[in-house]
Amino acid sequence: MIRIILVAMTVVLYLIFSVPVLTMLRIRAKRDPVGVQEKSLSKI
């Protein structure tokens, strides 16, 4: 039972923290698509 609660909390916290980051990246991509693409490719 404790494992299920821990897994559920992990998933919920991951979603809570990842959505604002993805939103910020999407806004940045709308402003400067070339710069975002260059940063993305440099990470690979």
Side-chain angles (χ1 to χ4, degrees), residues 25-42:
L25 290 174
R26 184 172 293 159
I27 292 170
R28 188 179 294 166
K30 285 183 181 179
R31 289 185 187 165
D32 185 20
V34 176
V36 171
Q37 185 178 11
E38 289 176 358
K39 284 184 181 181
S40 175
L41 291 175
S42 70

Side-chain angles (χ1 to χ4, degrees), residues 13-29 36 43:
L13 289 174
Y14 174 77
L15 291 174
I16 288 173
F17 287 118
S18 66
V19 169
V21 171
L22 292 174
T23 305
M24 184 176 62
L25 290 174
R26 184 172 293 159
I27 292 170
R28 188 179 294 166
V36 171
K43 290 180 182 178

Side-chain angles (χ1 to χ4, degrees), residues 1-16:
M1 186 68 179
I2 293 175
R3 288 183 192 172
I4 295 171
I5 294 171
L6 288 174
V7 169
M9 283 179 41
T10 303
V11 170
V12 169
L13 289 174
Y14 174 77
L15 291 174
I16 288 173

